[in-house]
Amino acid sequence: MSGFEFGRETELQGEVTRGARAVVVLPDLRQRGGLGLDAESRLEEGEGLARAIGIEVVDSFALPIRAVRPSTLFGEGQVQKIGIAINQSDAELVIVDGALSAIQQRNLEDKLERKVIDRTGLILEIFGERAATAEGRLQVELAHLDYQAGRLVRSWTHLERQRGGFGFLGGPGETQIEADRRLIRGRMARIRRELEQVRRTRTLHRERRQRAPWPVVALVGYTNAGKSTLFNRLTGADVMAEDLLFATLDPTMRAIRLPGLDKAILSDTVGFISELPTQLVAAFRATLEEVTAADVVVHVRDIANPASAAQKLEVEAILADLGVIGEEGASVPIIEAWNKWDLLSGEDRAMRRDLIRAGVPNRQVVPISAATGEGVENLVSLLGELLTGGAQVLELSVPMADGQKLAWLHAHGEILSEVQTEDEQGAPVQRLTVRLTPRELGRFVQM
């Protein structure tokens, strides 16, 4: 926390210890308007998040919430059930796979006499451990400070009880809380300035790539869908790819060859997840915006997961938030790579092939196995077709004095022939026969 700590908060909200024994509790809100993940899938995901940071899950269960209790979220009997579970399993940590307010978290810790963290806190722990680059660490710290800022009231409750007189309404505790808030606000402001510089640098790099003749392919998908495994197979890279949620965090780019293209850029992005904390979406927006600059988006789906359809909705909701998908459809072509095809039975494969033949609305679908390589050649061929398809052969005349346009055409188009001649006024011009994609033609017209 950048050199400063917050009283009791340090004790209860400190770093989660790897190897800690934990009970995972899912508050099953009956009125929850989620995108489709059922309670069983969400509970399994919560366990996966815990294991991703080395926590030993000794028990897990869902508790139906008919009416949210402002003080503890759960009812009194449910809190007692959690207490019995942690005592029987000798757990030292309670993970609530949902959002807790500061007061709910504090009251649960008081009643259960265990450290309690919610879904947001757990994901922040994972991101904090996995961030490898300076940008990633800044983004995680900003998200963590934003999360902690609303929880400072927990830190100094022993001081808040000391009410002062003579018009001092808040007592000594308010002074300490405000001092901590100023520290947090100052640190957040510095991080935002640093991230703004990173964002400007990333934008310059993006613009430089757009000026270069290399299209960008972005891999997106639910966490643990197999994006990094596919990335490694396509590029020959050695990006961390394990059966863990958020195994990779920082975006990675590598050059690949595609049919009809000497070079394309493949980008592996951070995995999405249901109810991704808003602090992280905001902090990682500069990273996620790489997707908006892609020429093709490959949505990698774990088609063997029973919750695959619900996971697709979660991913598309984030893509819509980024502006990749709008009311009129996707702004760039999206391919669905149905990964882990090798894990399906023959009957399941046949059923899904029928779905592909029937047609997935506004999508081209390729069944693949990133682990075995099955179907990857078909994906590569489709990418090549999309990135080179629709190219037109054009006859253009460019004044010899316009070196910028001539250089751009040589960099972005396929020059079939060129002849130096003169226009009607006798000025030297270069007549070119060039093949351009519709996207590149549009960019040339705007020059």
Side-chain angles (χ1 to χ4, degrees):
M1 291 292 293
S2 307
F4 50 87
E5 299 176 339
F6 305 113
R8 186 171 180 268
E9 190 74 19
T10 305
E11 175 189 351
L12 295 175
Q13 198 51 29
E15 184 176 328
V16 174
T17 306
R18 295 187 68 87
R21 295 167 60 83
V23 171
V24 177
V25 183
L26 170 67
D28 186 10
L29 301 174
R30 297 302 173 89
Q31 69 274 26
R32 179 178 178 268
L35 293 173
L37 285 177
D38 57 27
E40 183 179 353
S41 298
R42 291 196 64 225
L43 187 59
E44 183 179 346
E45 185 174 277
E47 295 175 19
L49 287 170
R51 286 192 292 270
I53 201 170
I55 293 172
E56 180 186 355
V57 179
V58 293
D59 196 3
S60 64
F61 48 87
L63 292 175
I65 305 294
R66 293 177 177 83
V68 174
R69 299 290 181 92
S71 60
T72 57
L73 177 64
F74 302 101
E76 191 64 34
Q78 293 174 325
V79 174
Q80 292 177 4
K81 180 177 179 179
I82 297 171
I84 292 171
I86 60 178
N87 287 328
Q88 288 180 341
S89 57
D90 195 25
E92 52 199 305
L93 176 67
V94 177
I95 298 172
V96 177
D97 191 18
L100 290 175
S101 68
I103 195 65
Q104 287 170 343
Q105 186 175 6
R106 179 190 177 209
N107 288 338
L108 285 173
E109 286 173 338
D110 287 343
K111 289 177 179 292
L112 299 173
E113 298 181 346
R114 298 290 193 283
K115 181 188 292 184
V116 176
I117 62 173
D118 64 0
R119 183 182 179 86
T120 299
L122 181 60
I123 293 176
L124 285 171
E125 290 280 353
I126 297 171
F127 273 53
E129 183 178 87
R130 300 281 165 76
T133 65
E135 179 189 3
R137 287 191 290 269
L138 285 172
Q139 289 168 326
V140 170
E141 185 178 357
L142 178 61
H144 190 80
L145 288 170
D146 189 22
Y147 176 69
Q148 287 291 89
R151 295 172 131 67
L152 283 182
V153 67
R154 302 177 60 233
S155 311
W156 301 100
T157 50
H158 62 292
L159 294 178
E160 286 180 321
R161 295 191 190 99
Q162 301 174 21
R163 296 297 178 186
F166 304 102
F168 294 98
L169 299 179
E174 184 177 13
T175 303
Q176 184 61 64
I177 291 173
E178 186 55 37
D180 286 343
R181 283 184 179 145
R182 278 197 299 274
L183 284 171
I184 285 185
R185 284 195 297 266
R187 177 61 181 160
M188 289 176 70
R190 288 193 295 274
I191 293 175
R192 287 195 176 104
R193 286 195 294 271
E194 292 181 56
L195 284 175
E196 179 59 25
Q197 181 59 48
V198 170
R199 189 193 66 80
R200 285 196 293 267
T201 303
R202 187 183 291 279
T203 300
L204 290 173
H205 289 171
R206 190 182 299 136
E207 291 173 352
R208 192 174 299 126
R209 287 199 304 272
Q210 289 174 346
R211 289 195 298 269
W214 307 316
V216 177
V217 178
L219 300 181
V220 302
Y222 210 78
T223 183
N224 212 30
K227 296 186 308 304
S228 295
T229 304
L230 177 60
F231 183 87
N232 289 340
R233 180 165 290 276
L234 291 173
T235 64
D238 191 24
V239 173
M240 179 184 178
E242 295 186 10
D243 187 18
L244 287 174
L245 300 182
F246 299 119
T248 52
L249 181 58
D250 294 292
T252 309
M253 293 188 178
R254 294 287 189 278
I256 60 171
R257 292 178 63 91
L258 294 173
L261 291 168
D262 289 334
K263 185 176 181 180
I265 304 298
L266 185 66
S267 173
D268 183 18
T269 60
V270 62
F272 301 158
I273 197 169
S274 66
E275 299 182 28
L276 189 64
T278 55
Q279 294 95 339
L280 280 173
V281 173
F284 278 78
R285 193 169 190 88
T287 302
L288 294 174
E289 280 175 355
E290 287 291 337
V291 178
T292 66
D295 296 273
V296 177
V297 172
V298 178
H299 178 183
V300 183
R301 293 179 56 188
D302 178 359
I303 203 64
N305 192 314
S308 181
Q311 291 177 353
K312 173 184 175 178
L313 294 177
E314 299 280 0
V315 171
E316 292 193 342
I318 296 177
L319 291 178
D321 182 56
L322 293 172
V324 177
I325 299 177
E327 294 181 1
E328 298 180 358
S331 58
V332 296
I334 297 179
I335 300 173
E336 285 192 13
W338 287 8
N339 192 29
K340 306 189 183 180
W341 192 254
D342 56 310
L343 301 182
L344 296 177
S345 65
E347 182 179 348
D348 287 337
R349 286 190 179 201
M351 181 179 68
R352 284 168 174 77
R353 286 194 189 279
D354 289 341
L355 290 175
I356 295 173
R357 280 193 290 268
V360 176
N362 305 316
R363 295 287 186 276
Q364 290 182 282
V365 176
V366 183
I368 67 166
S369 169
T372 67
E374 180 183 359
V376 173
E377 291 269 346
N378 296 333
L379 175 61
V380 169
S381 298
L382 180 56
L383 285 171
E385 290 174 14
L386 283 175
L387 292 172
T388 60
Q392 305 175 49
V393 176
L394 304 167
E395 301 284 343
L396 301 174
S397 293
V398 182
M400 290 292 294
D402 197 342
Q404 181 183 4
K405 282 189 176 180
L406 288 172
W408 192 93
L409 286 171
H410 278 273
H412 291 77
E414 181 184 354
I415 306 297
L416 303 178
S417 67
E418 56 181 326
V419 178
Q420 185 175 336
T421 182
E422 295 180 348
D423 61 13
E424 296 175 356
Q425 286 75 36
V429 297
Q430 194 84 351
R431 297 194 187 278
L432 304 98
T433 303
V434 58
R435 181 181 284 115
L436 289 174
T437 65
R439 178 176 179 268
E440 300 301 344
L441 177 59
R443 289 166 61 186
F444 177 74
V445 170
Q446 292 174 3
M447 290 185 67

